[in-house]
Amino acid sequence: MKQRFRSVPLLVKALLAAVGLIAASAQAQQEMARVISSTPVMQQVPVSRQVCQDEAVTRGGQKSGAGALMGTIAGGALGNAIGEGSGKAAATMLGLFGGAILGNSIEGEAPPETQMVRRCYPQTVYESRVSGYHVVYEFGGKEYSVQMPSDPGQYVQLQITPIVPRPPAGYPQPGYSQSGYPR
């Protein structure tokens, strides 16, 4: 029975150590640290754009067809007037074709036309954009650095969780026997 009472103080110490670990982990604190520098981190990003420009385009003049029409009428009338009998139809047909060809060549070319034409095409350009900030801050007399998505300003908020030291090797860990194996 005496051995049983000797193990009780060890059990109490182990339970107190376990309670201390739980309490310490629950006491995370928020602290403010002074920002020393905040440097933007730049990244090249491809951006697709539509680029348009106006160009002057000159096209050769188009014939109106009036010369060919007038030549056809005049050639047909002349062929009809010249021919007699069964040759009259052939002379009229020849006058129509000949007059159309002659009238078209007499008409000549129309003056060239210049028009403004808008041409558009896609173009990829690269822009520098901020992808984050390299922040250097001071806390507890030491400098630290961290990458952040936005500029924190003059101060950065820290989440501090204390580290509780483990009990010395002579004290049993909660839930473990003296041998170190679970009970």
Side-chain angles (χ1 to χ4, degrees), residues 7 19 36 98-99 109 172:
S7 65
V19 168
I36 297 171
E109 294 288 326

Side-chain angles (χ1 to χ4, degrees), residues 18-182:
V19 168
L21 284 174
I22 293 170
S25 65
Q27 293 179 0
Q29 299 176 2
Q30 290 188 353
E31 296 281 339
M32 297 299 283
R34 184 177 61 85
V35 173
I36 297 171
S37 68
S38 177
T39 308
V41 176
M42 304 303 282
Q43 182 178 15
Q44 294 292 320
V45 178
V47 177
S48 184
R49 297 182 182 171
Q50 180 134 354
V51 178
C52 297
Q53 59 188 124
D54 294 331
E55 297 177 1
V57 176
T58 303
R59 295 188 177 129
Q62 299 283 334
K63 292 186 179 189
S64 66
L69 181 63
M70 300 282 266
T72 302
I73 293 170
L78 187 61
N80 192 26
I82 295 174
E84 288 184 17
S86 65
K88 191 174 195 166
T92 303
M93 288 302 287
L94 190 62
L96 288 172
F97 286 120
I101 292 170
L102 185 63
N104 190 40
S105 65
I106 291 174
E107 180 182 7
E109 294 288 326
E113 294 179 0
T114 301
Q115 292 180 327
M116 293 303 286
V117 176
R118 178 165 280 212
R119 296 187 194 269
C120 298
Y121 53 92
Q123 182 181 41
T124 300
V125 294
Y126 288 88
E127 293 182 354
S128 293
R129 294 198 180 163
V130 177
S131 64
Y133 289 83
H134 179 77
V135 178
V136 177
Y137 63 93
E138 183 267 327
F139 182 75
K142 294 182 181 178
E143 286 187 8
Y144 301 92
S145 65
V146 66
Q147 198 84 4
M148 299 183 82
S150 61
D151 189 358
Q154 293 181 346
Y155 295 94
V156 65
Q157 191 171 10
L158 303 175
Q159 184 79 21
I160 307 294
T161 305
I163 298 174
V164 178
R166 299 184 120 196
Y171 292 101
Q173 298 290 325
Y176 289 89
S177 67
Q178 285 286 348
S179 65
Y181 293 101

